[in-house]
Amino acid sequence: MAAAAKPQAARFAQVAKPQLERITKAGPNARSWQYTAGAATAGLALAAGVVTAAGPWDSTGQRTAERDRAAALAQAGGTDHGRKGDTSGTSEAPGSAAGAPKPAPSAASVLAGLGGATGTVKSAPAALPTGTGLAGVLGPLLDDPALGARQTAVVVDVATGKRLYAAGADQALTPASTTKIATAVAALSAMGGEHRFTTRAALESDTKELVLVGGGDPTLTARAGTGGWADLRTLAARTAAALKKSGLTRVTLSYDTTLYAGSRIHPIGVNPNLAPVTPLSADEGRTDGSTSGPAARVDDPAADATRTFAGFLKSAGITTSAPGPSKATTRAKTLATVSSPPLSALVERMLTNSDNDIAEALARQTAVATGVRADFAGGGRAVQAQLKKLGLPLTGVRVKDGSGLDRQDRLTANLLTALLVKAGDPGRPELRPVLTGLPVAGFTGTLTSRYTEGAAGVVRAKTGTLTGVNTLAGTVVDRDGRLLAFALLAADTTDPAAAQAALDRAATALAGCGCR
């Protein structure tokens, strides 16, 4: 398998090199080269880019991430695969040290092409999995009582877009957090992967009122370790320097949240899974130092962020009043700004961690970008409108929010797989973060503790869980090296752990199945 993959990896690098050089010369803000370069080399393997995100290939064809996982599971092993002449001291080849650990298994052959002889791994057969073969494998697994009274499923070949298996494909069910796939596609198609959200400090020259204007950056942080995200400390330092340059050391401080409209509270009510939705917040209003998952939140993230900003200004020698809500006028002079990383990075963080705060922000930003009222209902309408523009199947679909916390959301397995196939379209490179952001089985995000056996590293999927609802949608590399998109939705489940395990067994079966 390693021998089959190595020429493809070399060819991918050779063909992509001119594109990488051209795009990286565009400057430091041209961050999306890792997506656009892969798409520009049409006919090369989408799976190569997807799986490489789980860990780079080393010289022997062994994924570094796979080797690290073996070590983490106390399964000692090397990367020589038993070859003679190895000098690593980790081989069972003749001449190696007695008692040396067994070599780690080779990575699967995953460089299945998007089409054309130059992009297809030689070991992958020309024949696709068949509906009969897939039904024979998936049918019994989806009949598991743990999956409740209603289940739907679709499997599609990403390279060709051909539907290979369907059960209730157009039956709309509550999708839970797999809704975030739709939100990601809509936001990226409306704004592009390089779009950034900017928080600014503006001074009203006549009243000396300093207004902190929320630009809808859900990743703005006030912590000392920024992790590359935009931060209030930098904004305060720049603002203080500008104020002092103008001879000001005392100002009236206020904050502007008028970018969004409507209620800040999600229809589910106050919930640790989501802060009040506002275009100005720091660290998602979390009170416990966490960066993902449920947490206690502040009641008013905008006011809290502005008070923190005031503290940073004070440390820089600027005295402020107690902050209150306001609106910056068109005459206000922008003193300083900080901008989020590109939208592509926000989408990846949202999908990997199933981040509800980012999801709701992206739905509202999609509304802002398309001229729709930026409230919960408007965000849902804007997302659905973008999907319609992309020509995606919307029969029975209803989008009420960006996160999937709203039980009135309805998606189909047909739409979810169509979204994933669209994200793999060489003509839509801006959508690629939808695939690269999916959690990796056994490695990242919401799948870190799942798939500890079998399909770890080859399943990448967005999870979805509400009471009585369990869903899973993503991609899998099958036994023959083909990249398949799948969506599995279950309703009326009673045991979430058992339902998750049943869905994982189905995805694992796809990974191990040629299904012809």
Side-chain angles (χ1 to χ4, degrees):
M1 291 179 178
K6 189 173 181 180
Q8 279 303 115
R11 187 179 300 114
F12 181 88
Q14 182 180 9
V15 178
K17 186 177 180 181
Q19 282 296 113
L20 296 180
E21 291 177 345
R22 179 181 65 80
I23 296 171
T24 54
K25 286 179 180 178
N29 291 330
R31 184 185 179 278
S32 65
W33 64 265
Q34 62 263 51
Y35 310 120
T36 56
T41 55
L44 290 178
L46 171 62
V50 173
V51 177
T52 297
W57 292 83
D58 61 27
S59 61
T60 67
Q62 169 84 11
R63 279 204 309 268
T64 302
E66 186 179 59
R67 181 181 60 206
D68 292 345
R69 178 174 178 272
L73 295 175
Q75 298 172 350
T79 64
D80 58 300
H81 310 291
R83 295 179 301 154
K84 296 181 181 181
D86 179 79
T87 59
S88 68
T90 60
S91 175
E92 285 192 331
S96 61
K102 296 179 180 180
S106 297
S109 180
V110 295
L111 301 178
L114 283 172
T118 60
T120 305
V121 172
K122 293 178 181 178
S123 60
L128 291 169
T130 66
T132 301
L134 287 167
V137 171
L138 291 179
L141 294 172
L142 296 176
D143 284 339
D144 190 324
L147 294 179
R150 293 177 291 164
Q151 315 88 32
T152 65
V154 169
V155 179
V156 177
D157 178 57
V158 174
T160 63
K162 181 178 180 181
R163 185 195 293 179
L164 306 175
Y165 172 83
D170 292 316
Q171 183 179 354
L173 297 179
T174 303
S177 278
T178 53
T179 300
K180 293 181 177 72
I181 297 174
T183 302
V185 168
L188 288 166
S189 66
M191 293 175 277
E194 288 303 314
H195 188 80
R196 299 169 188 258
F197 305 120
T198 298
T199 307
R200 65 189 180 98
L203 181 67
E204 301 285 359
S205 57
D206 52 347
T207 62
K208 308 307 178 189
E209 177 189 11
L210 181 66
V211 186
L212 184 59
V213 183
D217 178 5
T219 60
L220 184 69
T221 181
R223 294 170 183 163
T226 66
W229 308 100
D231 70 289
L232 276 176
R233 293 173 186 270
T234 297
L235 183 61
R238 293 173 180 173
T239 302
L243 287 170
K244 290 177 180 178
K245 188 175 180 179
S246 299
L248 294 174
T249 58
R250 181 181 297 272
V251 293
T252 299
L253 181 62
S254 58
Y255 55 91
D256 183 345
T257 60
T258 58
L259 182 66
Y260 295 169
S263 173
R264 298 180 295 117
I265 305 300
H266 191 280
I268 63 172
V270 176
N271 191 287
N273 287 293
L274 179 67
V277 180
T278 169
L280 177 62
S281 66
D283 302 301
E284 300 179 335
R286 295 173 179 272
T287 62
D288 62 356
S290 63
T291 57
S292 63
R297 313 300 181 99
V298 297
D299 294 333
D300 190 340
D304 182 73
T306 309
R307 285 191 293 267
T308 301
F309 181 67
F312 295 150
L313 287 175
K314 183 177 181 180
S315 297
I318 303 296
T319 301
T320 72
S321 65
S326 184
K327 177 176 172 58
T329 68
T330 56
R331 301 184 303 277
K333 178 184 177 182
T334 297
L335 299 182
T337 65
V338 290
S339 295
S340 71
L343 177 57
S344 56
L346 273 62
V347 163
E348 288 185 328
R349 175 172 162 178
M350 173 187 72
L351 292 173
T352 298
N353 296 331
S354 197
D355 193 304
N356 297 306
D357 298 275
I358 296 178
E360 293 302 342
L362 296 190
R364 294 207 184 196
Q365 291 284 12
T366 302
V368 171
T370 56
V372 178
R373 178 178 165 85
D375 56 10
F376 282 107
R381 287 196 303 273
V383 168
Q384 195 158 335
Q386 283 301 117
L387 303 188
K388 183 177 181 180
K389 287 182 180 179
L390 291 171
L392 294 163
L394 297 179
T395 301
V397 168
R398 186 168 66 208
V399 181
K400 292 294 185 178
D401 66 356
S403 63
L405 290 171
D406 195 323
R407 287 182 171 275
Q408 294 186 56
D409 287 329
R410 294 291 184 272
L411 299 185
T412 65
N414 190 28
L415 173 61
L416 286 168
T417 51
L419 287 164
L420 294 164
V421 171
K422 183 68 71 173
D425 184 347
R428 302 303 304 245
E430 75 279 6
L431 301 182
R432 205 71 74 246
V434 176
L435 297 181
T436 57
L438 293 173
V440 181
F443 286 100
T444 63
T446 55
L447 290 185
T448 300
S449 59
R450 292 166 64 169
Y451 297 89
T452 55
E453 300 293 338
V458 293
V459 170
R460 301 180 68 112
K462 182 68 201 74
T463 57
T465 307
L466 293 171
T467 302
V469 174
N470 293 89
T471 60
L472 190 69
T475 64
V476 60
V477 182
D478 74 4
R479 187 180 64 189
D480 296 320
R482 290 195 175 279
L483 186 66
L484 306 178
F486 68 90
L488 310 171
L489 291 84
D492 304 323
T493 60
T494 57
D495 184 336
Q500 284 181 5
L503 293 176
D504 291 349
R505 283 193 291 271
T508 299
L510 281 175
C513 166
C515 293
R516 292 187 301 280

